[in-house]
Amino acid sequence: VQLQASGGGLVQAGGSLTLSCTASGRTFSPYAVGWFRQAPGKAREFVGTVTWTGRTTFYADSAKGRFTVSRDNAKNTAYLQMNDVRPEDTAVYYCATPAERHWTPTMAERDYVYWGQGTQVTVSS
C-alpha cells in the first residue's frame, strides 16, 4: 500500500490550503483515512480522520471548525481542507490508513498501519 500526500506549501495566516492523499496498492474505499502532523521538535499528533464511507469525521480540538477531512473513493483520494490557518499549524502533514476494513477510526497513531511520506505546510504570520 502506498500513500502519497501532496498540496503542502507556504501560506499566510488566515489563508487556506487543501492537502490530498492518494492511495494505491489496494482498494481504497473500505478503509478509513487519518491525517496527522508533526511540528519541529514535537511529537506527531492527530489532526482528523474520515470513515470509509466518508459520512463521519473526527477532529482534534485544534482542527475543529477550521479543517475538514473528506474523501472521493472514485479517485482513491482523501483531502484535508485547511481554513483560517495559523502559524502553529506549521508542520509536516501525513495521511495514514489502517489495516482493517470498515474500521471505525480512532485518534491513536498506533492504529494506523500505512503512512504517506508527508507534505510540508508552512504558515507565515
Side-chain angles (χ1 to χ4, degrees):
V1 179
Q2 291 82 43
L3 299 175
Q4 179 76 35
S6 62
L10 177 64
V11 59
Q12 287 190 331
S16 298
L17 200 63
T18 299
L19 307 183
S20 299
C21 175
T22 302
S24 61
R26 69 175 182 183
T27 304
F28 178 71
S29 57
Y31 302 93
V33 177
W35 286 93
F36 293 78
R37 68 185 183 185
Q38 187 168 21
K42 295 187 177 181
R44 190 156 55 185
E45 64 178 9
F46 171 78
V47 175
T49 188
V50 59
T51 57
W52 66 280
T53 62
R55 296 193 193 108
T56 305
T57 52
F58 303 95
Y59 298 96
D61 287 344
S62 60
K64 287 179 182 176
R66 299 189 300 125
F67 294 2
T68 302
V69 180
S70 61
R71 64 190 297 155
D72 184 338
N73 287 338
K75 296 182 178 180
N76 288 352
T77 302
Y79 304 96
L80 177 64
Q81 172 71 42
M82 305 168 61
N83 296 325
D84 189 24
V85 295
R86 304 164 181 168
E88 53 264 39
D89 294 323
T90 294
V92 177
Y93 283 72
Y94 299 88
C95 58
T97 63
E100 187 176 338
R101 287 176 170 240
H102 306 154
W103 168 78
T104 299
T106 73
M107 300 185 292
E109 187 176 334
R110 66 178 181 273
D111 291 335
Y112 295 81
V113 174
Y114 303 105
W115 292 79
Q117 86 290 356
T119 185
Q120 175 71 47
V121 173
T122 303
V123 182
S124 62
S125 57

